[in-house]
Amino acid sequence: MIFSTTVICTATTSMLFDIPRLNPLGGIPQDSNIAETVSDDFQTFYYDQTLDHFNYWSESYTTFRQRYVINSKYWGGANRSAPILVYLGAEAPLDGALTRIGFLNENAVHFKALLLYIEHRYYGNSIPIGSIYERTDLGYFNSAQAIADYAEIIIYLKKQLQAQYSPVIVIGGSYGGMLASWFRLKYPHVAIGALASSAPILYFEDITPQDGYYSIVTKDFREASETCYQTIKTSWSVIDEVASQPDGLSILSKTFKTCNALSRSSELKSYLKLMYASAAQYNSPPRYPVTIVCGGIDGSAPPKTDILDKVFAGVVAYYGNRGCYVNAPQQISESETTVGWRWQRCSEMVIPIGITKNTMFQPSPFSLSDFNDWCKSIYGVPPRPRWVTTYYGGHDIKLTLHRFGSNIIFSNGLRDPYSSGGVLDNISPSIIALNTVNGSHCLDILPSKQSDPEWLIMQRKVEIKIIKRWITQYYFYLDSLFQAIN
Amino acid sequence: MIFSTTVICTATTSMLFDIPRLNPLGGIPQDSNIAETVSDDFQTFYYDQTLDHFNYWSESYTTFRQRYVINSKYWGGANRSAPILVYLGAEAPLDGALTRIGFLNENAVHFKALLLYIEHRYYGNSIPIGSIYERTDLGYFNSAQAIADYAEIIIYLKKQLQAQYSPVIVIGGSYGGMLASWFRLKYPHVAIGALASSAPILYFEDITPQDGYYSIVTKDFREASETCYQTIKTSWSVIDEVASQPDGLSILSKTFKTCNALSRSSELKSYLKLMYASAAQYNSPPRYPVTIVCGGIDGSAPPKTDILDKVFAGVVAYYGNRGCYVNAPQQISESETTVGWRWQRCSEMVIPIGITKNTMFQPSPFSLSDFNDWCKSIYGVPPRPRWVTTYYGGHDIKLTLHRFGSNIIFSNGLRDPYSSGGVLDNISPSIIALNTVNGSHCLDILPSKQSDPEWLIMQRKVEIKIIKRWITQYYFYLDSLFQAIN
C-alpha cells in the first residue's frame, strides 16, 4: 500500500534475498481452517503515539494513531491485580492475531487475564499520516521505536485501568517473538516475563552460520524422504542443463506450466527454493507440507518419470491444481506487510541467510555488499547490520546474560529453519529454551486443534506452567513488599 | 559556547529552576587542590559516531567525532582478558575526569585494568558539526543516544584490541552515575557491572517527594548548627520585610555588597538558596562547606548582630573576601556545560525539585506547567517528563527488578541532597546500595586524600571488593563455558 512506488522495479533483484517472512502464520492458504470471526469481546482503541521516542526536535513530537485491541471478558480485574497478556504485533496488520494467536484466547480464562493486542507501527491501521510518501518518514520505522511504543501503551493502559500491580506477560511469534524477548530485557519494569516463540534472535552478524536456515530445510526434506531429497538436490543442475539448451527456457516453461514464459531459469529456481523453504518453515501437523511436497515428488508414476516432472509433481502437490504456476501475474501491488518488512530488513533486521554448502540447494552465499547495494538502490541508505547486536546483544549470550535477566521462554520447533538462529539451550534457570523435535514455526502460540500431537500439547502445557510460576512468584514478592511497608 | 544565543534572555527566569548541577565536582573553587596535569599515559582518540542510533533516514547516518581517552599503562592485556574500567562522561568536557576521577587512576594497577574515558555527546570536543546552530540538531542530544554511543565505542574498542572477553565495568557519578546504572540495565552484553555514584535515578515524576532535595539541605544545616538553621529559616521573611520598605532593595544591596544594585529581592534569595544547596551537595571533608557557612553565620560577633549581617557573614565565609557578591557581572557567555545541561533538563531530565514544607526555605513548589512554559520559550518544544521512567523504569524499583539484573552498586552520601532520589536500599543480592551517613556528592569516585575519614575509605574498599567479586565470578563462568565447549 504505502511503499508501492518502490516495489515494481526491484521485484526481480529482491528474489536474491527472498525468504519466508518471519511470521507466525504462513504456508499454503488451504492450510488454515480456523474460524476468522472476531468476537464482540474485542474492543478496538487508538493511542496517540509519539513518532520518535529518541529525539526531541519538533517533528518527533508528531503523533500517530496506533491501534490496540482489548478483550476484558475474562479479566479478574485491577482490584485483584489480575494478569495482562499482551500480544506484541509484528510485521502484519493486527486483525489476524485476534483469532490466530490461540495462546491468548485459550488461556485468558485460566489466567483470569486481560488480553491486549498492540499493532506494530507502520502496519495495518497504525501508520503515521502526513509525510508518509516521503522517504524521511521511514526512519522512524524500527524495532527500538516499536518496543518503546509498546511500553508507552502498556504503562498508559495500566494507569487507565488503575491496574498498577497487574503483572504483564508479553507474547510474540517470529519477529514478534524477538520483540517479546527484547522487550523483557529492555523494559523489565513493564513486563514480568516474555514468551518468545520461534524468535531467531541469534541470526545476526556472525553468530549463526549463514547456512543455518537452508540446512534445516534440507534436513526436513531428507528426513521426510531420502529419494525426495536426492531428486531436489539433483534437479538444480538438470534445470541449468535444460536452460542452457536452445529453446531450454520454453521447455522449462512448458514443464512447469508457468503463467508467463520464463525469462531466466533463476526465476524458476527461486520459486522452487521459496516453496521448499515455506513448506519446511510451516511444516505443521496434521498436513506436514514437506511430506506433501515429497509425496508429489516421490509418488509421480511411472518410476522412470523425468526428474523435472517429479519436481513439478511436488509443486502441484503443494499448491494444488492451478491454471498455471511460478510467475503468476503480480497482485496489483504487494501488501504493505511485504513492503514494510523489506524496509525493516534493509535497515536493521539484516538476517544473513545464505547457502555455502551441505544443503540440497545450489550455493548462494549471502553477500552483505550485494545486500547493501540492493537496499541502497531502493532506499538510498545502507542497512546497519551491526546495530541489532549492539543494542540487543546476541554474541556469547550465555556469558552476557549469566546472572542477568529472567523470565523468558524461547520456544522453538526444530524443524523450523529459523530455529537455527534461535535460543535452543537454557541461558539460566529462568531464561529457558523449550524445543520440540518435530515442531515448525510458531506452532505453540497458534490455536490448538484436535489433531495436535502430544509433543505440541506438552510444549504448551509447560509454557503455561512456567508463566503461572512467574505470576505466583510475582504475587508472593508483591505481598512481601506490601507487608514490609505496612 | 554553542547555545549561547538562547541564554541571555532566560537567565532570570531560569533561576526559578536552578539547582547545583549533577556533577561529581563542584562547590567553591578553592576547595580543590588536586594536581591537574594529565600524564602522558593518557592517549586521546576520536570515534566516528552515528548521530542517530534510532532512526534510518539519511541525516541520521551523519557522524560526528566523539572523543575518548585510553590509559593502557596498567592493563594486563587481551590475552589475559584483563578488565576494562570505563568512565562514562557526563554533562561536562572529558578533560576534568582524567585526573579527577580517582577511582579509575587509583585502581587501574590493582585491577590490571585498561582505563577508558568516553566523552558525552554535545560536550567538550564531542559536538556534532554541521547544522549545530539549527534547532533540529538538539534532538539527538539525550541519554538514550548517549548510552548507545558508549556501547558502540566499547564494542568497537574491544574488537580493535582483540579483547572480546575482557570484562567491562562502567563507572559514573551523578548524571554519569545514572548513565552507568542504566547502561548496565540496557547493555548487559557490553558491561558486566556498574558503579553508579550519587545517581538520583528515582528523582523523576512522582517517585521521590519534590521536597527531597531541600529537606536534606535543611537537615545538613540543622545538624551542623541549630542556631545557623534558625537564622537561615528566619532570614527569608526578614529579607522580604526589608525589601518591602521604601528603598529596601538598596539596603539589601548594601548589606550584601552586591556587585550591582538588586532589581528584585528574589535575586538575592536565589543566590543564597543556591549557595546553601551547593554547600550541602559538596559538603566534603576536610573542609565541610556547610560547617564553614554556619561558622560565618553563627560566629559573627557581637551576638546581637542583625540577622542579615549574619547571613552575609555566611556568604563571606563560603566565598571568601571578594570585592562584591550576589550578582557579579556575567561571564562572556555561559559554559557549554551549563547550557547543554539546561537542554537536557528541558527535554528528558525533568527532575522535579521543589519546596512545599518542612525545610528552612520558603515554599516554592515545582510547577511542571511553569517548567514547560520556560522550556518551550527557549526551545520551542516541551519536555517529556514521563519518558525517563518509561524507558528506564523507577517506580516500584524493588518489585520490577526483583530477580532481574545484577551487578550494580548505587553509592550515596546521605548528606548529599541528591541522595533523596538515589537507591538507598539493596534491590537484590547483587544490586547493592552503599551509603555513608556523612558523605556528600560523589566522594567515593574522587581521588583519595590523606585527610579522608574512615567511612569514606571503607566505602571505597567495599566497592573494590564487590567489583573484584564480579570479575572473579565472570572469569569463573567464562572458564566453565570454555571447558564445556572444549
Side-chain angles (χ1 to χ4, degrees):
Chain A
M1 172 189 148
I2 53 166
F3 312 109
S4 52
T5 51
T6 62
V7 175
I8 309 305
C9 60
T10 60
T12 47
T13 327
S14 79
M15 289 193 308
L16 266 174
F17 303 108
D18 267 353
I19 212 71
R21 239 188 42 247
L22 279 158
N23 192 306
L25 312 165
I28 27 180
Q30 64 268 41
D31 201 10
S32 135
N33 282 314
I34 302 151
E36 289 292 317
T37 319
V38 177
S39 93
D40 294 342
D41 302 321
F42 291 90
Q43 286 186 282
T44 299
F45 300 89
Y46 287 87
Y47 179 80
D48 286 331
Q49 189 60 264
T50 305
L51 184 59
D52 191 346
H53 299 281
F54 303 100
N55 197 311
Y56 288 84
W57 68 305
S58 50
E59 187 177 315
S60 67
Y61 282 74
T62 309
T63 56
F64 66 94
R65 281 162 51 89
Q66 182 167 17
R67 175 162 55 152
Y68 64 97
V69 173
I70 291 174
N71 181 346
S72 55
K73 184 178 180 185
Y74 304 103
W75 196 35
N79 289 343
R80 296 172 58 174
S81 295
I84 303 175
L85 301 182
V86 183
Y87 177 75
L88 302 186
E91 77 287 18
L94 195 58
D95 311 81
L98 306 181
T99 54
R100 301 278 198 95
I101 304 301
F103 193 90
L104 273 76
N105 288 323
E106 294 171 14
N107 292 309
V109 62
H110 305 301
F111 283 115
K112 299 191 190 311
L114 181 82
L115 302 182
L116 167 63
Y117 303 75
I118 314 178
E119 193 164 61
H120 191 293
R121 56 165 57 197
Y122 288 81
Y123 292 104
N125 294 357
S126 303
I127 298 171
I129 49 167
S131 60
I132 193 66
Y133 286 97
E134 286 173 27
R135 186 61 38 86
T136 59
D137 183 74
L138 284 178
Y140 306 111
F141 182 1
N142 60 64
S143 66
Q145 301 278 5
I147 61 174
D149 293 342
Y150 298 147
E152 274 210 15
I153 290 180
I154 295 168
I155 290 170
Y156 161 82
L157 190 69
K158 287 182 75 174
K159 209 166 208 168
Q160 288 297 104
L161 297 170
Q162 299 183 286
Q164 184 185 356
Y165 293 113
S166 283
V168 168
I169 308 288
V170 292
I171 294 146
S174 207
Y175 167 56
M178 299 203 254
L179 295 179
S181 67
W182 292 337
F183 190 84
R184 169 62 182 156
L185 287 173
K186 296 291 191 195
Y187 297 88
H189 49 287
V190 183
I192 71 152
L195 170 57
S197 176
S198 299
I201 61 164
L202 305 181
Y203 221 134
F204 293 95
E205 273 200 277
D206 54 355
I207 306 172
T208 294
Q210 57 166 301
D211 270 317
Y213 188 96
Y214 282 105
S215 297
I216 292 185
V217 178
T218 301
K219 189 174 138 288
D220 288 353
F221 277 84
R222 194 166 196 175
E223 281 177 7
S225 158
E226 179 74 22
T227 53
C228 173
Y229 155 82
Q230 287 294 349
T231 303
I232 295 167
K233 196 175 177 185
T234 315
S235 70
W236 312 108
S237 59
V238 176
I239 291 172
D240 287 340
E241 205 183 297
V242 174
S244 70
Q245 293 165 16
D247 216 27
L249 285 177
S250 71
I251 296 171
L252 288 175
S253 296
K254 204 174 157 195
T255 307
F256 284 89
K257 290 193 184 165
T258 64
C259 300
N260 294 292
L262 286 169
S263 57
R264 296 173 304 165
S265 64
S266 63
E267 212 179 336
L268 173 63
K269 291 196 287 185
S270 290
Y271 176 85
L272 293 171
K273 190 173 147 190
L274 197 59
M275 180 185 80
Y276 299 136
S278 201
Q281 185 167 319
Y282 300 106
N283 191 37
S284 58
R287 293 185 78 246
Y288 292 110
V290 169
T291 310
I292 287 173
V293 173
C294 283
I297 289 176
D298 288 341
S300 54
K304 289 264 173 170
T305 311
D306 181 80
I307 206 156
L308 295 187
D309 292 334
K310 285 177 180 279
V311 169
F312 179 62
V315 171
V316 175
Y318 185 73
Y319 284 110
N321 279 310
R322 295 189 175 182
C324 61
Y325 300 88
V326 183
N327 47 18
Q330 259 199 311
Q331 307 290 323
I332 295 160
S333 78
E334 287 176 272
S335 71
E336 64 185 24
T337 302
T338 307
V339 181
W341 183 241
R342 182 181 300 135
W343 160 253
Q344 293 205 259
R345 289 171 63 211
C346 270
S347 49
E348 60 177 358
M349 292 295 145
V350 183
I351 301 174
I353 292 175
I355 303 170
T356 58
K357 52 180 183 177
N358 299 330
T359 76
M360 65 184 189
F361 300 95
Q362 289 181 313
S364 163
F366 178 81
S367 158
L368 186 60
S369 74
D370 286 355
F371 190 70
N372 270 352
D373 292 346
W374 178 57
C375 293
K376 276 173 80 170
S377 74
I378 311 173
Y379 301 108
V381 286
R384 292 182 187 158
R386 282 184 302 278
W387 176 244
V388 161
T389 57
T390 299
Y391 193 51
Y392 300 113
H395 290 101
D396 300 300
I397 197 164
K398 274 198 177 183
L399 182 64
T400 57
L401 294 188
H402 179 56
R403 305 196 318 120
F404 190 96
S406 60
N407 296 6
I408 304 175
I409 300 170
F410 288 98
S411 62
N412 277 285
L414 299 183
R415 281 187 179 166
D416 172 12
Y418 275 123
S419 71
S420 54
V423 173
L424 303 180
D425 296 312
N426 294 345
I427 291 175
S428 72
S430 68
I431 305 183
I432 290 172
L434 272 190
N435 311 325
T436 54
V437 175
N438 296 314
S440 57
H441 203 57
C442 294
L443 284 184
D444 53 337
I445 60 170
L446 299 183
S448 56
K449 299 181 198 167
Q450 283 289 343
S451 56
D452 285 337
E454 189 55 32
W455 50 260
L456 178 55
I457 295 167
M458 274 309 294
Q459 188 185 29
R460 290 190 184 122
K461 272 191 183 161
V462 175
E463 287 168 1
I464 291 162
K465 197 174 148 193
I466 291 171
I467 293 171
K468 281 200 169 150
R469 192 166 65 220
W470 296 343
I471 293 172
T472 305
Q473 283 169 338
Y474 167 85
Y475 285 139
F476 185 79
Y477 190 64
L478 183 66
D479 282 349
S480 72
L481 282 183
F482 273 127
Q483 278 164 17
I485 293 164
N486 301 323
Chain B
M1 174 189 145
I2 54 167
F3 313 110
S4 53
T5 50
T6 60
V7 174
I8 310 305
C9 59
T10 59
T12 48
T13 329
S14 77
M15 290 194 307
L16 265 174
F17 303 107
D18 266 354
I19 212 73
R21 240 187 44 243
L22 278 158
N23 192 303
L25 312 167
I28 26 179
Q30 65 266 41
D31 203 9
S32 135
N33 284 311
I34 303 152
E36 288 293 317
T37 321
V38 177
S39 92
D40 294 341
D41 302 322
F42 290 90
Q43 286 187 283
T44 299
F45 300 90
Y46 286 87
Y47 179 81
D48 286 330
Q49 189 59 263
T50 305
L51 184 59
D52 191 346
H53 299 281
F54 303 100
N55 197 312
Y56 289 83
W57 70 303
S58 51
E59 187 177 314
S60 67
Y61 281 73
T62 308
T63 56
F64 67 94
R65 280 160 51 89
Q66 183 168 18
R67 175 161 57 151
Y68 63 97
V69 173
I70 291 174
N71 181 346
S72 56
K73 184 177 179 184
Y74 304 103
W75 196 36
N79 289 343
R80 297 171 57 175
S81 295
I84 303 175
L85 301 183
V86 183
Y87 177 74
L88 302 185
E91 78 286 18
L94 196 58
D95 311 80
L98 306 181
T99 55
R100 301 278 199 94
I101 304 302
F103 193 90
L104 272 76
N105 288 321
E106 293 171 13
N107 292 310
V109 61
H110 306 301
F111 283 115
K112 296 191 193 310
L114 182 81
L115 303 182
L116 167 62
Y117 303 75
I118 314 179
E119 193 164 63
H120 191 293
R121 57 166 56 198
Y122 287 82
Y123 291 105
N125 294 357
S126 302
I127 297 170
I129 49 168
S131 61
I132 193 64
Y133 287 97
E134 286 173 27
R135 186 60 38 86
T136 59
D137 182 73
L138 284 178
Y140 305 111
F141 183 0
N142 59 63
S143 67
Q145 301 278 4
I147 63 174
D149 293 342
Y150 298 147
E152 275 210 15
I153 290 181
I154 296 169
I155 289 169
Y156 162 82
L157 190 69
K158 288 182 75 174
K159 210 166 209 168
Q160 289 296 105
L161 297 170
Q162 300 184 287
Q164 186 185 354
Y165 293 114
S166 282
V168 169
I169 308 290
V170 291
I171 294 145
S174 206
Y175 167 56
M178 299 203 253
L179 296 179
S181 66
W182 293 337
F183 190 84
R184 169 61 182 158
L185 287 173
K186 295 292 191 195
Y187 297 89
H189 49 288
V190 184
I192 70 153
L195 170 56
S197 175
S198 299
I201 62 165
L202 305 181
Y203 221 134
F204 291 96
E205 274 199 275
D206 54 355
I207 305 171
T208 294
Q210 57 167 303
D211 270 317
Y213 187 96
Y214 282 106
S215 297
I216 292 186
V217 177
T218 301
K219 188 172 138 289
D220 288 354
F221 276 84
R222 193 165 197 174
E223 281 176 7
S225 159
E226 179 73 24
T227 53
C228 174
Y229 155 81
Q230 286 294 350
T231 303
I232 296 167
K233 196 174 176 188
T234 313
S235 69
W236 312 108
S237 58
V238 176
I239 292 172
D240 287 341
E241 204 183 295
V242 173
S244 70
Q245 293 165 16
D247 214 29
L249 285 178
S250 71
I251 295 169
L252 289 174
S253 296
K254 205 175 155 191
T255 308
F256 284 89
K257 288 191 187 169
T258 64
C259 301
N260 293 293
L262 287 169
S263 57
R264 296 174 304 166
S265 65
S266 64
E267 212 177 336
L268 173 63
K269 291 196 286 185
S270 291
Y271 176 84
L272 293 171
K273 188 173 148 190
L274 198 59
M275 181 184 80
Y276 300 136
S278 200
Q281 185 167 320
Y282 299 107
N283 192 36
S284 57
R287 293 186 77 247
Y288 292 110
V290 170
T291 309
I292 287 174
V293 173
C294 282
I297 289 177
D298 288 339
S300 55
K304 289 264 171 169
T305 311
D306 181 79
I307 207 156
L308 295 187
D309 293 333
K310 286 176 180 277
V311 168
F312 179 61
V315 172
V316 175
Y318 185 73
Y319 283 111
N321 278 310
R322 293 188 177 182
C324 60
Y325 300 88
V326 182
N327 48 16
Q330 258 199 314
Q331 308 289 323
I332 295 158
S333 79
E334 288 176 272
S335 72
E336 65 185 23
T337 302
T338 307
V339 181
W341 182 242
R342 181 179 302 135
W343 160 254
Q344 293 204 260
R345 289 170 64 210
C346 270
S347 48
E348 60 178 356
M349 291 296 145
V350 183
I351 301 174
I353 291 175
I355 303 170
T356 58
K357 51 179 183 175
N358 297 331
T359 76
M360 65 183 189
F361 300 94
Q362 289 181 313
S364 162
F366 178 82
S367 158
L368 187 59
S369 74
D370 285 355
F371 189 70
N372 270 352
D373 291 346
W374 178 56
C375 294
K376 277 174 81 171
S377 74
I378 312 176
Y379 301 108
V381 286
R384 292 182 188 158
R386 282 185 301 278
W387 176 245
V388 161
T389 57
T390 299
Y391 192 50
Y392 300 112
H395 290 101
D396 301 299
I397 197 164
K398 274 199 174 183
L399 180 66
T400 56
L401 293 188
H402 179 58
R403 304 194 321 119
F404 189 97
S406 61
N407 296 4
I408 304 175
I409 300 170
F410 289 99
S411 63
N412 277 286
L414 299 183
R415 282 189 178 163
D416 172 13
Y418 276 124
S419 71
S420 54
V423 173
L424 303 180
D425 296 311
N426 294 345
I427 291 175
S428 72
S430 69
I431 305 183
I432 289 171
L434 271 189
N435 310 325
T436 53
V437 174
N438 296 314
S440 58
H441 204 57
C442 293
L443 284 184
D444 53 337
I445 61 169
L446 298 184
S448 56
K449 297 182 200 168
Q450 282 290 340
S451 57
D452 284 339
E454 189 55 32
W455 51 260
L456 178 55
I457 295 167
M458 275 310 295
Q459 189 185 29
R460 290 189 183 122
K461 271 191 183 162
V462 175
E463 286 168 3
I464 292 162
K465 197 176 149 192
I466 291 170
I467 293 171
K468 281 199 169 150
R469 191 167 66 220
W470 296 344
I471 293 173
T472 307
Q473 283 169 338
Y474 168 84
Y475 285 140
F476 185 80
Y477 190 66
L478 184 66
D479 282 350
S480 73
L481 283 182
F482 272 127
Q483 278 164 17
I485 294 164
N486 300 322

